[in-house]
Amino acid sequence: MSGAALGIEIVVVFFLALIILHRYGDFKKQHKLVIVATLLAWHLCFLIVFILPLDVTTTIYNRCKVNLNSSPPESTTSNVSHTTPAPRKHECFKPWSYIPDGIMPIFWRVVYWTSQFLTWILLPFMQSYARSGGFSITGKIKTALIENAIYYGTYLLIFGAFLIYVAINPKFNLQWSQLQTIGIAAANTWGLFLLVLLLGYGLVEIPRSHWNGAKKGYLLMKTYFKAAKLMTEKADAEENLEDIMEEVRKVNESFKYNHPLRKCVDTILKKCPVEYQERMGRNMDDYEDFEERPNTYPTEKNLAKLHKQVIYSVQRHRRTQVQWRILLEQAFYLEDVAKNETSATHQFVHTFPSQEPENKIARYLYTPTVEWYWECLLRPWFHRILAVILATFSIIVVWSECTFFSTRPVLSLFAVFIKLAEKNYNYFYIEMACFLTIFFLSICVYSTVFRIRVFNYYYLASHHQTDAYSLLFSGMLFCRLTPPLCLNFLGLTHMDSTIAKSLEQPTAYTSIMGSMKVLSFIADGFYIYYPMLVVILCVATYFSLGTRCLNLLGFQQFMGDNEMTSDLIDEGKELIRREKRKRQRQEDGENRRREWKERYGNNREDSSRNRNVQADQKESSFTETNTTRLASKYTRSNGRNERDRVELLHDAEPLDFNADSVGEDPLDSDSGRYQPGGRYLSMSRSRIFDDV
């Protein structure tokens, strides 16, 4: 299995990153370079998390070989009673995932420096390029360079000041490797600062979200709250789109087809929704000599700004529309769960059929009975048990973060688990323990990245609704958070030479980071004591201090004991009820039309055939006497009236008394003119054709 485990995990992690990116990004509409850059960043970060346990087991095996070679041979005796060979104390077994020497250092260097190049140079430039409203590649590159000039200039200024300080001070004699270590330490320090903030939130919020997931009433109230906020955002997005489209209409009318900037206007029009394009038209009929008129047209810079606003407003409008439909489905489903909990038949009944095509295998296995037992009985207990397990992991992480600097005695629980497995050289247990530990830490950090929202500039929306700027920004965050996350994990398990200074052989990942003795105040101070702040952040998250602060600042958050939250819940409940009635009316209308077509579709064809036969007979009798012609004339007239009346009866659509024009209150059924289903009593099936 020499290197096979490494290759398998690289392929598996690639497809994992591709699946997650497909959920958030849109491969068809977004630029290919944006998709490739984001996929590369996500793949490298996930790869570090999955490969690091293999590095740990390989390092433990190499230590075992070193100890075995350095230990003196056991003395042999001629005593007959000791002829049975005793097991060797330091017998080493090669793990199944062993990676040969020399591969891991090269692999980590390639992965680490590629991720750093992405997060500090390429992705910020691509962010500005994707957000630019330029009409050509050259214009977008120019805009991106101007926007990133301050960004890159700040780092160059800091680095230049540091080099000048080192050159002037005679105490420092830094080499290139030491400068490289200082750069790595600076990047990891920034990442660790942000890592602890996100980790403190995720350690509490993830178990709490699963515990609240067992409360159907809680989830339903929170969905109503989200519906009220999303409706406000949806209305604001529609209003903003209308304003932008009005500006586009004015620009479109001012620029004629012979203007040099007409191509820019056409590019803007292509980004507009189809209904607005049809409404505005092109106004390419009139010829106008723009050179003889005063220059009152918008400049190319103004058009680029308008182009940028159009892209943003259309993306935001589309995202809110999709999120509203998804939220409606979620609210309807939670209401169905609440109704079916008291069902005596133990059959899950949906108010509305699913709009997505159902899989035949899933429909065969996931029957209404199975669905009822899962949704109403098993799922709440599953969430409670999972919440308890995750809360236990969180407590272990918090304890280990506060005590991992102590090597004698070993207080970090993760280090204790790894040491016990290392004594028996149980590599499978070591890999599973390392994988579960770093995977839980990654879930706590990465899930927070997916949840946070910085106004409308950064927001990861599922169902292919994330814009290019947010995708690239998430790749930047992942590349900056993953290296300090792995160093923190190695510190928790005492596999880092900075923590356990007695280590004879560090991991390959630690070796590429260099020796932190160059910056002892960071290695012995910040890296050790700063993670203890996770306790304060966990306490603040548990008591929802951040949520309360946002409420005070005017950003409405879901809080059960807040009056504004109750008002938004009531508003959201009314919105969901209104949408439910609207969908019910649509489905009732479709069902009535389908029933009408099934009942009277064949009768309409028969009446049309009889009408043609009668017309032929009357036309042949028209050639008889004048008296007969007059009679046949009246007969044709009466027949035509009868046929018209029959045709009107057949072509009439069923009346929908639940339509919006009628109002919410149905017609009074006691009047004898209305039956359920929107039909008159006089139009019953038995008497409708009696007069034909």
Side-chain angles (χ1 to χ4, degrees), residues 364-379:
Y364 177 76
L365 298 177
Y366 197 60
T367 60
T369 303
V370 175
E371 185 176 5
W372 186 89
Y373 277 101
W374 167 250
E375 292 292 342
C376 300
L377 292 180
L378 299 179
R379 188 170 184 173

Side-chain angles (χ1 to χ4, degrees), residues 348-359:
F348 198 92
V349 180
H350 294 270
T351 304
F352 303 106
S354 178
Q355 297 182 354
E356 298 180 358
E358 296 183 0
N359 190 358

Side-chain angles (χ1 to χ4, degrees), residues 351-632:
T351 304
F352 303 106
S354 178
Q355 297 182 354
E356 298 180 358
E358 296 183 0
N359 190 358
K360 294 182 179 180
I361 300 177
R363 183 173 56 186
Y364 177 76
L365 298 177
Y366 197 60
T367 60
T369 303
V370 175
E371 185 176 5
W372 186 89
Y373 277 101
W374 167 250
E375 292 292 342
C376 300
L377 292 180
L378 299 179
R379 188 170 184 173
W381 285 104
F382 171 78
H383 280 286
R384 292 189 184 99
I385 295 173
L386 184 60
V388 172
I389 295 174
L390 294 175
T392 304
F393 265 96
S394 298
I395 294 173
I396 295 175
V397 169
V398 172
W399 170 261
S400 300
E401 290 285 358
C402 297
T403 59
F404 73 91
F405 60 88
S406 177
T407 57
R408 293 182 181 178
V410 179
L411 299 179
S412 175
L413 296 180
F414 294 116
V416 172
F417 298 153
I418 299 300
K419 295 295 182 183
L420 291 176
E422 186 178 357
K423 291 180 180 179
N424 300 324
Y425 296 101
N426 190 346
Y427 296 109
F428 179 77
Y429 175 81
I430 293 174
E431 288 182 6
M432 291 304 299
C434 292
F435 176 75
L436 291 178
T437 303
I438 194 172
F439 184 74
F440 179 72
L441 294 174
S442 303
I443 290 296
C444 293
V445 175
Y446 293 162
S447 63
T448 308
V449 174
F450 281 97
R451 288 185 180 187
I452 60 176
R453 177 176 180 178
V454 183
F455 300 103
N456 288 317
Y457 295 99
Y458 171 73
Y459 181 37
L460 291 176
S462 58
H463 296 83
H464 321 291
Q465 299 304 314
T466 305
D467 58 352
Y469 184 87
S470 298
L471 287 177
L472 295 172
F473 190 77
S474 66
M476 290 173 53
L477 286 179
F478 287 157
C479 291
R480 296 181 187 182
L481 291 172
T482 304
L485 173 66
C486 295
L487 284 179
N488 184 255
F489 160 75
L490 294 175
L492 294 178
T493 56
H494 288 184
M495 298 296 295
D496 188 3
S497 58
T498 305
I499 304 300
K501 296 180 174 57
S502 61
L503 288 179
E504 299 175 358
Q505 184 178 3
T507 60
Y509 185 82
T510 307
S511 63
I512 69 164
M513 295 296 172
S515 177
M516 293 298 172
K517 294 180 181 179
V518 181
L519 300 174
S520 58
F521 67 94
I522 294 180
D524 299 333
F526 185 79
Y527 280 178
I528 293 177
Y529 298 106
Y530 178 72
M532 295 182 184
L533 288 177
V534 73
V535 180
I536 301 176
L537 295 172
C538 287
V539 173
T541 306
Y542 180 79
F543 291 103
S544 302
L545 296 183
T547 303
R548 299 179 187 277
C549 292
L550 289 176
N551 264 331
L552 292 177
L553 294 176
F555 301 98
Q556 299 301 327
Q557 303 294 318
F558 183 77
M559 297 179 61
D561 55 349
N562 188 269
E563 182 179 357
M564 182 60 70
T565 301
S566 301
D567 295 339
L568 290 176
I569 289 174
D570 295 336
E571 181 182 351
K573 186 184 298 184
E574 182 61 31
L575 291 172
I576 297 298
R577 187 182 295 114
R578 185 185 307 167
E579 293 292 334
K580 193 172 185 179
R581 289 197 302 265
K582 182 179 179 181
R583 182 172 296 186
Q584 188 70 48
R585 289 195 299 268
Q586 292 176 354
E587 292 196 355
D588 290 343
E590 292 177 358
N591 293 334
R592 286 194 299 271
R593 292 186 184 93
R594 186 165 49 251
E595 292 178 0
W596 180 275
K597 186 176 181 180
E598 292 176 356
R599 290 181 180 181
Y600 307 122
N602 297 328
N603 294 333
R604 179 180 301 181
E605 295 177 358
D606 296 339
S607 63
S608 300
R609 190 181 301 111
N610 295 333
R611 186 164 63 247
N612 294 331
V613 173
Q614 292 176 3
D616 294 338
Q617 293 175 355
K618 293 173 181 178
E619 189 174 0
S620 62
S621 63
F622 182 76
T623 57
E624 296 181 356
T625 59
N626 293 334
T627 308
T628 307
R629 283 201 302 269
L630 292 175
S632 62

Side-chain angles (χ1 to χ4, degrees), residues 1-13 47 50-52 54-55 96-100 103-104 107-108 111:
M1 296 294 290
S2 177
L6 180 62
I8 293 173
E9 291 205 6
I10 290 175
V11 175
V12 171
V13 172
L47 197 60
F50 280 81
I51 300 298
L52 195 59
L54 305 184
D55 190 8
W96 71 276
S97 59
Y98 175 74
I99 300 175
I103 295 180
M104 288 306 299
F107 174 79
W108 286 130
V111 171

Side-chain angles (χ1 to χ4, degrees), residues 657 662 665-676 680-681:
F657 290 97
V662 177
D665 296 329
L667 294 178
D668 189 5
S669 59
D670 296 334
S671 61
R673 297 183 56 84
Y674 175 74
Q675 283 185 345
Y680 283 103
L681 290 175

